[in-house]
């Protein structure tokens, strides 16, 4: 189930469970080494979320804002969600293949929690 995306923009679709509707969030896709390394460094705000792929850990050194971090397995199922303050080093997640970052506190409102499946929709590519 290896997925190959390119740097660019798309949508993160969070599939609701138990009758909850799906939520679509603007998504920045960072797959190149350079884009993954830069991530959210130096930003004061986040418009939606950013997907780092491949990735199984993150840090918040030189970040200006706290962030929510969702670790995804190869099937795009959330295996953990953490909020990280600036200047922290996150523990690697062995089963994680992708990481989604967003402003602190927003993922709960989108329904992102352990066990939820998400989808990455990129124009011109299959999700």
């Amino acid at each position: 189930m290896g997925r190959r995306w390119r740097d660019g923009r798309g949508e993160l679709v969070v599939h609701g469970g138990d009758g909850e509707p799906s939520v679509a969030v603007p998504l920045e896709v960072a797959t190149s080494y350079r884009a993954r390394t830069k991530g959210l460094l130096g930003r004061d705000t986040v418009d939606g979320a950013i997907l780092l792929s491949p990735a199984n850990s993150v840090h918040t050194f030189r970040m200006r804002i706290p962030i929510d971090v969702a670790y995804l397995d190869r099937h795009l199922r959330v295996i953990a969600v953490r909020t990280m303050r600036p200047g922290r080093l996150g523990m690697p997640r062995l089963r994680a293949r992708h990481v989604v970052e967003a402003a602190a506190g927003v993922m709960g409102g989108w329904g992102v929690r352990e066990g939820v499946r998400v989808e990455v929709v990129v124009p011109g590519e299959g999700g």
Side-chain angles (χ1 to χ4, degrees):
M1 281 211 64
R3 287 173 168 77
R4 291 274 191 217
W5 298 290
R6 293 191 175 140
D7 292 349
R9 298 198 81 48
E11 280 187 334
L12 178 73
V13 179
V14 182
H15 295 285
D18 300 328
E20 297 175 25
S22 294
V23 175
V25 177
L27 181 69
E28 182 178 332
V29 179
T31 59
S32 68
Y33 176 78
R34 184 176 184 157
R36 288 192 327 263
T37 301
K38 184 170 191 253
L40 296 176
L41 293 178
R43 298 189 196 184
D44 292 322
T45 61
V46 185
D47 179 27
I50 184 170
L51 170 74
L52 308 175
S53 179
N56 68 354
S57 67
V58 296
H59 68 82
T60 58
F61 299 120
R62 295 184 15 223
M63 284 198 182
R64 299 176 182 171
I65 58 172
I67 60 171
D68 281 350
V69 179
Y71 299 88
L72 311 177
D73 68 11
R74 64 183 177 164
H75 303 290
L76 300 182
R77 190 163 304 276
V78 178
I79 57 176
V81 179
R82 299 289 181 261
T83 299
M84 295 177 64
R85 296 189 322 251
R88 301 289 187 249
L89 177 63
M91 294 296 294
R93 306 289 169 173
L94 296 179
R95 293 183 311 139
R97 298 295 178 265
H98 319 281
V99 173
V100 175
E101 298 177 344
V106 301
M107 286 194 185
W110 298 340
V112 176
R113 61 186 175 280
E114 189 174 333
V116 168
R117 192 176 66 80
V118 300
E119 183 179 355
V120 174
V121 179
V122 178
E125 295 183 17

